[in-house]
């Protein structure tokens, strides 16, 4: 579920983990991406795993959804946009998150903020305005030339602090922010049919694409109760991303990381009743569940398995600071007090960040640190780490 409210965008281990460079937008048509994927399917023997299909649909240089020139961000479909971001919805979002980032900078003795997939730059602006001299440098890693230009315009007043990298370095020191980063990382699809597990992939069907399942030894991380047919996802790229980030944080003086995204702990993610998977697409503020059409013209996402993310960080040497809902995270950091001092219109918009039926409960926050000698304020109440 998207709530059609989309805090910031995106990352993919394949892109951020190698030295692929940011690609500027071009005027190639959607048909060019379709042809390229058909060619990849042919080269792969006629079948392409969904993770590779999703990676190409979102990140193929100059053609994928996040590397082409489509509008993406905006409040109304009339603008040609597909979703609105939480920082764009209310500046109170970034101002409140800044409280946690500031505490983490002080606790880790660092002065740099890192953001993967900074979208329009709205969150970066809110953080920089709020944190002032506590931030000496703000580093953005983003795949989109179009969005980088938009970020530069948004952050013009902080131009002396902001830098952009095409790929992440070997050492990261500071506080990492990932606002809806993990949900945009390619996933593998697993389909249980009549008790037998298959990996779901994509094949060519004339000029279109179609699903095809193949027998596999892959399994979800937990046993799925029942004998009914069951579709789900596994997240090796997101987990590898977190593990790689951990290595880089631990290679330096240390730091912390906070990921805000929609998803569930393992027991909820692989619940027997969640048998249709979580892959969703978003275009012109409408949601659908078919990523095989309008390829490159719409967003493709999957919910996050936060248990897998937590284990990936722990196994790589990080400590879990906490895990809770976005509502409790923001309330712990003083959002209610900020709302009380705001106008009615501002309160109305900020309320959507914490309403249970909108972003408040569906979105979760997980925090990591290289040390355990401090407690993160965002998890002071209603820490759900025990549910991971």
């Amino acid at each position: 579920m998207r709530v059609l409210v989309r805090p910031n965008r995106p990352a993919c281990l394949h892109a951020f983990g190698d030295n692929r460079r940011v690609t500027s937008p071009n005027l190639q048509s959607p048909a060019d991406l379709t042809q390229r994927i058909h060619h990849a399917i042919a080269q792969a023997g006629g079948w392409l795993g969904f993770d590779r299909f999703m990676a190409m649909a979102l990140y193929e240089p100059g053609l994928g959804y996040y590397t082409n020139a489509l509008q993406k961000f905006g409040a109304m479909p009339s603008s040609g946009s597909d979703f609105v971001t939480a920082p764009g919805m209310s500046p109170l979002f970034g101002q409140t998150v800044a409280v946690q980032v500031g505490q983490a900078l002080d606790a880790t003795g660092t002065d740099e903020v890192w953001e993967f997939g900074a979208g329009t730059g709205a969150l970066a602006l809110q953080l920089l305005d709020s944190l002032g001299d506590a931030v000496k440098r703000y580093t953005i890693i983003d795949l989109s030339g179009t969005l980088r230009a938009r970020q530069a315009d948004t952050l013009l007043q902080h131009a002396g602090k902001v830098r952009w990298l095409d790929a992440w370095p070997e050492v990261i020191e500071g506080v990492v922010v990932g606002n809806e980063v993990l949900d945009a990382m390619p996933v593998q699809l697993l389909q249980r049919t009549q008790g037998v597990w298959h990996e779901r992939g994509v094949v060519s069907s004339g000029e279109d694409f179609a699903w095809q399942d193949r027998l596999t030894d892959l399994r979800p991380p937990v046993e799925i109760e029942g004998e009914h047919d069951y579709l789900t996802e596994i997240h090796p790229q997101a987990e590898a991303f977190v593990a790689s980030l951990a290595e880089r944080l631990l290679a330096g003086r240390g730091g912390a990381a906070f990921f805000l995204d929609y998803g569930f702990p393992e027991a909820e993610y692989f619940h027997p009743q969640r048998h249709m998977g979580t892959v969703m697409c978003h275009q012109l503020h409408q949601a659908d569940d078919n990523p095989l059409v309008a390829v490159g013209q719409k967003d493709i996402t999957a919910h996050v398995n936060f248990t897998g993310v937590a284990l990936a960080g722990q196994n790589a040497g990080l400590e879990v600071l906490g895990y809770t809902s976005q509502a409790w995270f923001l309330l712990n950091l003083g959002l209610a007090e900020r709302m009380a001092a705001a106008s009615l219109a501002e309160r109305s918009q900020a309320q959507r960040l914490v309403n249970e039926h909108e972003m408040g409960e569906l979105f979760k926050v997980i925090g990591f640190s290289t040390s355990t000698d401090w407690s993160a304020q965002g998890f002071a109440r209603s820490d759900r780490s025990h549910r991971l």
Side-chain angles (χ1 to χ4, degrees):
M1 183 178 177
R2 166 61 96 223
V3 214
L4 297 184
V5 175
R6 188 57 183 269
N8 287 314
R9 287 279 33 138
C12 162
L13 178 67
H14 177 65
F16 285 147
D18 61 21
N19 292 316
R20 176 175 295 188
R21 301 189 64 79
V22 169
T23 305
S24 297
N26 56 37
L27 300 178
Q28 292 173 286
S29 72
D32 296 318
L33 176 59
T34 298
Q35 292 171 6
R36 193 168 296 184
I37 297 176
H38 280 302
H39 180 68
I41 291 172
Q43 285 197 316
W47 183 92
L48 203 64
F50 180 73
D51 55 337
R52 287 193 59 198
F53 175 89
M54 183 174 173
M56 294 186 73
L58 295 181
Y59 304 109
E60 187 69 12
L63 295 172
Y65 181 76
Y66 283 110
T67 59
N68 64 33
L70 290 174
Q71 174 70 18
K72 302 175 183 66
F73 298 90
M76 299 295 291
S78 58
S79 68
S81 64
D82 299 316
F83 41 76
V84 62
T85 71
M89 180 188 306
S90 172
L92 298 185
F93 178 79
Q95 293 167 15
T96 305
V97 172
V99 176
Q100 181 60 87
V101 174
Q103 184 202 15
L105 288 169
D106 183 64
T108 58
T110 57
D111 56 16
E112 183 169 4
V113 176
W114 299 73
E115 185 177 359
F116 285 90
T120 64
L123 177 58
L125 179 63
Q126 292 158 16
L127 292 176
L128 284 164
D129 283 348
S130 300
L131 292 167
D133 293 338
V135 178
K136 302 303 181 185
R137 186 164 64 181
Y138 197 104
T139 298
I140 294 173
I141 303 180
D142 208 307
L143 305 180
S144 171
T146 301
L147 291 177
R148 176 181 287 196
R150 190 169 176 182
Q151 293 157 12
D153 288 341
T154 301
L155 300 172
L156 188 60
Q157 67 194 79
H158 298 287
K161 290 184 177 181
V162 182
R163 66 169 178 166
W164 286 263
L165 298 181
D166 298 339
W168 51 5
E170 291 303 311
V171 176
I172 292 179
E173 296 178 341
V175 178
V176 175
V177 178
N179 197 24
E180 281 204 77
V181 168
L182 301 176
D183 70 273
M185 295 190 180
V187 296
Q188 290 176 274
L189 296 182
L190 298 184
Q191 169 69 40
R192 183 177 68 186
T193 303
Q194 296 182 348
V196 179
W197 283 102
H198 304 76
E199 181 176 2
R200 176 157 291 180
V202 181
V203 298
S204 297
S205 178
E207 297 181 357
D208 301 322
F209 300 110
W211 297 114
Q212 186 178 98
D213 297 345
R214 289 188 171 185
L215 291 173
T216 183
D217 292 329
L218 295 172
R219 296 290 186 274
V222 297
E223 189 74 23
I224 309 298
E225 295 180 10
E227 299 179 355
H228 56 297
D229 291 353
Y230 193 93
L231 175 65
T232 192
E233 307 90 22
I234 55 175
H235 304 256
Q237 288 211 30
E239 292 165 13
F241 174 88
V242 172
S244 294
L245 175 62
E247 293 174 5
R248 287 159 170 80
L249 285 170
L250 292 164
R253 289 182 297 152
F258 298 91
F259 295 101
L260 299 90
D261 226 313
Y262 47 92
F264 313 101
E266 199 169 76
E268 295 178 40
Y269 198 104
F270 300 104
H271 191 280
Q273 293 180 0
R274 200 179 305 284
H275 62 92
M276 297 300 292
T278 70
V279 170
M280 290 296 293
C281 306
H282 300 87
Q283 183 180 29
L284 297 176
H285 296 259
Q286 297 291 319
D288 71 82
D289 61 359
N290 188 357
L292 303 188
V293 300
V295 179
Q297 301 174 65
K298 60 184 180 180
D299 191 16
I300 306 173
T301 74
H303 283 50
V304 176
N305 172 12
F306 279 101
T307 301
V309 167
L311 289 173
Q314 281 188 328
N315 291 339
L318 293 180
E319 301 291 338
V320 175
L321 290 169
Y323 166 73
T324 191
S325 67
Q326 178 174 289
W328 272 111
F329 185 74
L330 295 176
L331 292 171
N332 285 335
L333 296 170
L335 177 63
E337 291 76 11
R338 292 178 183 275
M339 290 173 62
S343 69
L344 178 61
E346 291 171 329
R347 290 201 300 273
S348 177
Q349 286 295 92
Q351 190 68 43
R352 298 178 64 186
L353 302 173
V354 294
N355 281 343
E356 185 173 356
H357 65 284
E358 295 188 83
M359 297 180 69
E361 181 59 34
L362 178 65
F363 284 67
K364 309 299 194 308
V365 187
I366 191 168
F368 294 100
S369 178
T370 55
S371 66
T372 58
D373 56 0
W374 63 288
S375 298
Q377 182 178 336
F379 307 107
R381 294 175 294 169
S382 195
D383 184 5
R384 304 177 185 179
S385 299
H386 62 284
R387 298 187 187 178
L388 290 170

